[in-house]
Amino acid sequence: MTSVAIVTGASSGIGAATARRLAAAGFHVLAAARRADRLAALVAGITAAGGSATAVPCDVTSDESVAGLARAAAGAPGPVTLLVNNAGGARGLDPVESGSIADWQWMYDVNVLGTLRVTQALLPALERSAAGTVVVVSSTAGLTVYEGGGGYTAAKHAQTAVAGTLRLELCGRPVRVVEIDPGMVRTEEFGLNRFGGDAAKAEATYAGVAQPLVAEDVAECVAWCATLPHHVNVDRLVVRPLAQAAQHKVHRVGR
């Protein structure tokens, strides 16, 4: 039977690229995100390329919406073997002393509690498959902190803690847990969302960086980890562009 992969945050960026890559690898993809129009276009593109996918509008901050995703998974055309917890994002770059409580709350709810809600809802199906994989797309921000990033790094550190704890708790059961931590990735919306739609600020993040990662690079990492023999568990994969040696060390041309 066709294996089913569920990808959250699939309406753009890493999520959309991951949905396309997994469909190309033979999965039937349940593409989940809030924006139904974006999902419809994604599924149409996957189908045109010979793949198989279903759009499932879902808000990971809503218990009811995530329950709907679980119902869609129960009606999918095969066993659910892969969950990619990709939904997330950043808001603001303010210091701790003046950070927006609302922005911090949103980042925690989407990145951490969203991962928790979806994983709890889909874990029974993943275990029934006897070959389940949970991929948590976190960030190098979950491994180290930086000025102005208190809210985002706190959320990503928490998401990393959830992944590590889950792996311990599932030991001996047929579900592996993979954490993927990208560094600098240039996508069409991440920076815009972080800076409230300010394109100049979003673009400045990548100034002078010849080749930041793109969404397809991370999607390739997800597909590689997910399609290894099931006894092989990549606990954590840290992936950065060549120009980024560390969170604080980036080579910028002309600087």
Side-chain angles (χ1 to χ4, degrees):
M1 296 179 68
T2 301
S3 290
V4 174
I6 299 168
V7 181
T8 66
S11 60
S12 67
I14 292 170
T18 298
R20 289 190 292 265
R21 179 65 183 83
L22 293 175
F27 287 91
H28 178 87
V29 178
L30 298 189
R34 290 177 296 112
R35 294 177 291 184
D37 56 336
R38 291 286 194 96
L39 292 179
L42 172 66
V43 168
I46 288 172
T47 302
S52 176
T54 302
V56 185
C58 178
D59 179 353
V60 300
T61 68
S62 162
D63 292 343
E64 181 180 359
S65 189
V66 170
L69 175 60
R71 288 192 295 271
V80 177
T81 62
L82 175 60
L83 168 62
V84 182
N85 282 301
N86 168 75
R91 283 188 179 175
L93 198 63
D94 302 317
V96 171
E97 64 182 335
S98 59
S100 164
I101 298 295
D103 285 350
W104 281 54
Q105 180 69 57
W106 180 87
M107 286 185 281
Y108 195 87
D109 202 14
V110 173
N111 292 283
V112 186
L113 298 183
T115 294
L116 176 63
R117 287 186 183 94
V118 176
T119 301
Q120 287 181 341
L122 276 300
L123 194 54
L126 289 162
E127 188 163 12
R128 281 194 300 272
S129 77
T133 301
V134 177
V135 174
V136 176
V137 181
S138 185
S139 168
T140 53
L143 308 178
T144 188
V145 298
Y146 55 90
E147 295 96 334
Y152 185 58
T153 60
K156 286 301 186 182
H157 272 71
Q159 192 178 29
T160 288
V162 169
T165 304
L166 182 64
R167 188 180 302 112
L168 293 175
E169 293 172 348
L170 293 179
C171 185
R173 294 159 67 182
V175 182
R176 58 186 176 178
V177 179
V178 177
E179 177 188 345
I180 297 180
D181 296 322
M184 181 180 286
V185 185
R186 187 174 195 163
T187 63
E188 65 268 29
E189 292 190 341
F190 181 87
L192 289 174
N193 291 335
R194 179 165 216 169
F195 295 111
D198 189 322
K201 285 185 178 180
E203 190 63 25
T205 303
Y206 312 103
V209 181
Q211 289 182 299
L213 297 179
V214 294
E216 288 74 17
D217 296 323
V218 182
E220 191 65 33
C221 293
V222 173
W224 178 70
C225 291
T227 56
L228 287 169
H230 195 257
H231 71 283
V232 180
N233 196 113
V234 179
D235 286 3
R236 173 179 292 156
L237 176 60
V238 178
V239 52
R240 294 186 174 97
L242 179 61
Q244 185 183 34
Q247 200 79 352
H248 63 283
K249 179 69 172 179
V250 180
H251 175 69
R252 299 179 187 270
V253 177
R255 295 192 178 188

